[in-house]
Amino acid sequence: IIILVVLIYIIINKAYNKKLQENMKDPNWLMKNVDITEDFAIGSNVLSVNKLSDIDIYSDAYQTVIDEKINNLKESDDYTLDNPLLIYNAYGTNSSSINIYFNTDEDSYLTYTVDCDDNDISDYTKTLYNGEESNLTTTHEYQITGLVAGEKQDVNFELYNENNELIDESKITVFM
């Protein structure tokens, strides 16, 4: 009887794992089982992706589902530099990053500085490039890198116009 119970358990476990593996490649299943929600542990107004740890983040189906979910979020609100869409490690490939999405009325470009509470860690400053030849756009979509694990840090954003004049600035605080 014990051998029979063990065999039944093994068969059920294999069938379950096979079905789970099939589901993880199915965009419809992924759409229902991957979610982007607020993550207060990282920072105020920062979202993160919630999914099973077994999901292959490098699969085309997963990447397509994340793209669709992000596009749905971008359409659902009018994001600005003062109120951007922020997603921690959106695609699961860079655990020290936050993606930022927002729009501006005027063509502009964005710079940012990461400032850690730990004074032994130097500030990190970067000008973001958006793919436009002039680096000016009204649709801003970037990955913020240079964030330090285990640290509370301010990310200071500066928005400049075509004449390199500061037109707006904003700050977020994150806990990595």
Side-chain angles (χ1 to χ4, degrees), residues 36 47-49 70 73 85-90 97-99 101:
I36 300 177
L47 307 177
S48 67
V49 177
I70 290 172
L73 285 169
L85 173 58
L86 301 165
I87 305 173
Y88 166 72
N89 193 15
S97 71
I98 292 178
N99 288 42
Y101 306 89

Side-chain angles (χ1 to χ4, degrees), residues 81 100 102 108-114 124-129 135 140 142 144 155-160 166 168-170:
L81 182 60
I100 183 171
F102 65 94
S108 53
Y109 68 92
L110 186 67
T111 67
Y112 71 94
T113 300
V114 177
Y124 175 76
T125 299
K126 185 173 184 177
T127 298
L128 296 164
Y129 294 95
N135 200 37
H140 301 269
Y142 309 103
I144 306 303
V155 183
N156 300 295
F157 298 103
E158 294 181 334
L159 196 63
Y160 293 90
L166 180 65
D168 200 2
E169 54 190 333
S170 180

Side-chain angles (χ1 to χ4, degrees), residues 16-31:
Y16 171 80
N17 285 332
K18 182 179 179 188
K19 182 64 176 170
L20 184 61
Q21 291 301 318
E22 289 172 7
N23 283 341
M24 288 189 204
K25 296 176 185 174
D26 177 11
N28 292 325
W29 184 89
L30 286 169
M31 197 60 126

Side-chain angles (χ1 to χ4, degrees), residues 30-39 45-51 62-74 79 85-92 99 101:
L30 286 169
M31 197 60 126
K32 293 175 189 168
N33 290 281
V34 173
D35 201 13
I36 300 177
T37 59
E38 195 155 13
D39 191 336
N45 299 322
V46 177
L47 307 177
S48 67
V49 177
N50 295 312
K51 62 173 187 54
Y62 178 78
Q63 297 292 317
T64 299
V65 165
I66 292 297
D67 280 341
E68 188 172 333
K69 287 188 174 282
I70 290 172
N71 287 334
N72 288 341
L73 285 169
K74 289 189 307 189
Y79 295 102
L85 173 58
L86 301 165
I87 305 173
Y88 166 72
N89 193 15
Y91 291 89
N99 288 42
Y101 306 89

Side-chain angles (χ1 to χ4, degrees), residues 147-162:
L147 302 170
V148 182
E151 294 292 328
K152 176 184 174 190
Q153 52 222 295
D154 292 329
V155 183
N156 300 295
F157 298 103
E158 294 181 334
L159 196 63
Y160 293 90
N161 66 14
E162 64 185 331

